[in-house]
Amino acid sequence: MEQLLDSFGREHDYLRISVTDRCNLRCVYCMPAEGVVFQPHDEIMSYEEIAETVSALAPMGLRKLRITGGEPLVRKDLDKLIAMLSGIPGIEDIAMTTNGMFLAGKAAALKQAGLNRVNISLDSLRQDRFAMITRGGEVRRVLEGLQAAVEFGFDPIKLNVVLMKGVNDDEIRDFIALTLDKPLHVRFIEYMPIGSATDSWRSTYLPLSTVDEVCREAGWETEDVAGPRGNGPAESKRVVGAAGTFGLIHPVSEHFCDNCNRLRLTADGHIKACLYWSDELHVRPLAAAGDREGIRAMFLKALGGKPKNHEMALALEKKQQSHTPTVRRMSQIGG
């Protein structure tokens, strides 16, 4: 069977599946303060439609899945979807990105259903600042979710930290310190202009060279490492002798497109071959009809039009880009 290759020969074995565009938080880099207009429930893919899509793609080389949102844990009975996906032949790894607010109460069921690992978004360890960034979140609940992930054996456990200049860049040392004694994997992510490439974004953008500077100031000797399973585009490092690692993800300053292996399925059933560009194809009707050949053909069509790279660096420099950037917010696409 034909494999999931784009016109540049990149093999795609990884699908990020958004199960909802809804979220219980309003993070400053993800949504405006007033929120966004959510999709009606009847426009969101059913679990059966998602499983049908994955079943169609697994024979083409799809091996890894990541469940995203919005916040995936606001979707009812998510463990049922995990169980459906984990039973599909060929699927080897299922991960989830979550804000962690509901994780403590759901970790056991998710693990039993077949979820292998979690990424927890945590942009500050300080309650006042966390509440400001998330517009009302409680860091205590996220840390309880992190503890539950450890107790139920998710591995690896990654903490996603979006670095913002003048907002949380003074906590870099605190986050790296978490990896010294615990097998946690902190990933610092450059602030991306998804759906909101404004001057406000540019003034908050911070290149990740700052992380290396903090390590030097702390007197930490670091070494490059392979990184945990599912490391993706992260440049992984470790303080020598530490139990965990920290990673740098440079989507803007050092785009990782050359080795891109991921596709995205939005909650309303659109294929996005590239996170940044506006190009989308609506696959949900084919999934609802159980048309696996049609699903495969549409994913191959999406891959055929996938650009070589995303050109976010040009947005930072206010230069013309070759394609049209998406107007969807990150919560509407799936992280």
Side-chain angles (χ1 to χ4, degrees):
M1 184 174 291
E2 192 169 357
Q3 297 298 288
L4 292 165
L5 297 174
D6 67 10
S7 59
F8 302 96
R10 293 174 294 197
E11 182 179 345
H12 292 68
D13 63 354
Y14 178 17
L15 180 65
R16 299 174 72 98
I17 302 168
S18 177
V19 295
T20 180
D21 63 338
R22 297 170 187 262
C23 188
N24 54 313
L25 300 178
R26 298 289 181 272
C27 295
V28 295
Y29 53 79
C30 192
M31 285 194 203
E34 66 275 14
V36 296
V37 177
F38 295 126
Q39 294 276 6
H41 289 294
D42 61 1
E43 294 182 10
I44 300 300
M45 290 189 81
S46 69
Y47 288 166
E48 290 75 16
E49 290 164 350
I50 293 171
E52 187 68 20
T53 302
V54 172
S55 295
L57 299 178
M60 302 178 76
L62 182 66
R63 295 291 175 263
K64 297 181 289 184
L65 307 175
R66 177 170 294 278
I67 307 302
T68 71
E71 168 48 45
L73 292 181
V74 304
R75 182 89 185 247
K76 185 179 179 182
D77 298 327
L78 186 64
D79 57 298
K80 293 182 179 179
L81 174 64
I82 300 297
M84 294 167 69
L85 298 177
S86 66
I88 295 174
I91 298 304
E92 299 171 355
D93 185 62
I94 305 177
M96 179 180 67
T97 296
T98 174
N99 62 36
M101 294 280 285
F102 300 130
L103 185 56
K106 299 186 177 185
L110 292 167
K111 181 66 175 177
Q112 184 175 9
L115 187 69
N116 303 114
R117 51 196 177 90
V118 293
N119 286 26
I120 301 173
S121 298
L122 181 59
D123 299 316
S124 177
L125 298 168
R126 307 177 188 182
Q127 173 53 34
D128 57 344
R129 184 174 292 172
F130 184 81
M132 181 273 292
I133 294 172
T134 60
R135 298 192 179 101
E138 298 176 58
V139 72
R140 169 190 59 82
R141 293 179 61 185
V142 181
L143 295 175
E144 289 172 354
L146 171 59
Q147 182 58 37
V150 172
E151 290 176 1
F152 288 103
F154 291 103
D155 182 45
I157 298 170
K158 302 175 187 175
L159 301 180
N160 289 350
V161 183
V162 176
L163 276 187
M164 294 168 279
K165 183 168 64 177
V167 178
N168 62 351
D169 49 332
D170 59 344
E171 293 188 65
I172 294 172
R173 182 169 178 168
D174 295 335
F175 275 108
I176 295 177
L178 294 177
T179 72
L180 298 181
D181 301 316
K182 300 181 179 67
L184 299 175
H185 306 279
V186 174
R187 290 143 44 98
F188 297 106
I189 305 171
E190 285 181 332
Y191 189 3
M192 291 180 282
I194 302 299
S196 57
T198 64
D199 286 333
S200 174
W201 163 71
R202 294 183 183 92
S203 66
T204 312
Y205 168 78
L206 184 73
L208 296 185
S209 56
T210 305
V211 176
D212 290 325
E213 294 170 9
V214 169
C215 289
R216 285 193 293 269
E217 292 171 0
W220 287 329
E221 181 183 354
T222 64
E223 57 186 352
D224 295 336
V225 294
R229 179 166 54 94
N231 199 46
E235 171 194 353
S236 290
K237 302 187 177 188
R238 176 173 58 205
V239 175
V240 174
T245 68
F246 65 94
L248 309 178
I249 299 180
H250 310 260
V252 179
S253 64
E254 301 176 23
H255 71 76
F256 40 74
C257 303
D258 288 348
N259 299 313
C260 184
N261 67 336
R262 62 190 61 188
L263 291 156
R264 286 176 168 82
L265 181 64
T266 66
D268 56 355
H270 286 81
I271 305 166
K272 286 189 72 70
C274 178
L275 168 68
Y276 188 58
W277 301 120
S278 61
D279 308 63
E280 297 182 354
L281 292 174
H282 196 205
V283 75
R284 188 189 179 194
L286 297 171
D291 183 359
R292 295 189 180 182
E293 287 303 318
I295 292 170
R296 293 172 184 134
M298 187 167 285
F299 270 86
L300 289 173
K301 181 179 179 180
L303 283 170
K306 182 169 184 169
K308 187 173 183 179
N309 60 61
H310 56 54
E311 301 178 11
M312 287 185 199
L314 296 181
L316 181 64
E317 299 169 8
K318 300 184 180 181
K319 294 181 179 179
Q320 185 173 357
Q321 297 169 299
S322 63
H323 291 68
T324 304
T326 184
V327 296
R328 290 219 212 197
R329 296 276 181 165
M330 187 69 86
S331 62
Q332 297 169 313
I333 298 171

